[in-house]
Amino acid sequence: MRIGIMIGEVRGPATADTLRQQATGADSLWTAQALGWDALTALTVAAPHAPRATLGTAVVPVRQRHPLTLAGQALSVQAATGNRLTLGVGSGIGVMVGGMFGLPVDRPVAFMREYLAALLPLLHGEPVAAGGEFLTVRGTVAVPGTIPPPVLLAALGPAMLRLAGTAADGAITWLTGARTLESHVVPTVLAAAAGRPTPRMVAGLPVCVTTDVADARSRLADRFGMAAQVPEYRRVLDHEGATGPQDVALIGDEETVARQINRLEETGITEFVAAPSGTETEQHHTTAFLHHLSKQNQAS
């Protein structure tokens, strides 16, 4: 199992220099799309400071990005970074897509199926001419010197997990604990992907290496607590028996966090994406420890 590092706003306010500093020394870099930095742009800014790292978005919401637009953006990142990108996409959190953009949020699986049917050939430089139920796509995208990035799908519910197995290169989760990954996420995607290449399974969680567990849990509850009110995350938190994100985050001393990461590997995921959390000192300590574990895993 690979260990990746999340950089950018999920860890707090981030300048361009912050992105570069957070990227240094990483073997695998990921960014999320929040309310500020564009995830793909943030990766491009950070990439030169981790020249051997793979890059990934976790994830780009697609309701507000036409497939032609996203394909051009993704292939531009490929050209700028030496073809290191994994493109993680998702249908977006309904309350944000509807409330902020005024876009429809119904039938997310049907929408995503139609979206992927256009996006994947566009990433391969193939022309698309489709007028579907949700999208009209007519055109092609070409960026010389690029290869199509793998596409992973943000998925939590069973139908979206099956789509990740049948139409994408794998699945990405956020705030989903080990019990749910093992009993629900991984087996659903693997079953759907039968007969296809083995899917990638990427799971993201906050991590804080600290000796003050109670205080770290309280701060994580404050920072990510709104996720517990979002239906998409509420379902997987309930499945885990968790009150909120602080109950699935990895928190504790180095030995405890290493044990929790080993437990995640047992679930069958192929990559763990850690979002270092806490004070600046805690984040530095957490990141250094995660780099150490990543190098250990690569050597074994």
Side-chain angles (χ1 to χ4, degrees), residues 146-174:
T146 59
I147 62 174
V151 176
L152 305 182
L153 180 59
L156 297 173
M160 197 71 82
L161 288 166
R162 288 192 291 269
L163 183 62
T166 58
D169 296 301
I172 301 179
T173 66
W174 173 243

Side-chain angles (χ1 to χ4, degrees), residues 4 37 94 109 166 220 266 277 280-281 298:
W37 274 96
V109 177
T166 58
L220 277 165
E266 293 172 355
S277 300
E280 184 175 347
T281 299
Q298 290 181 37

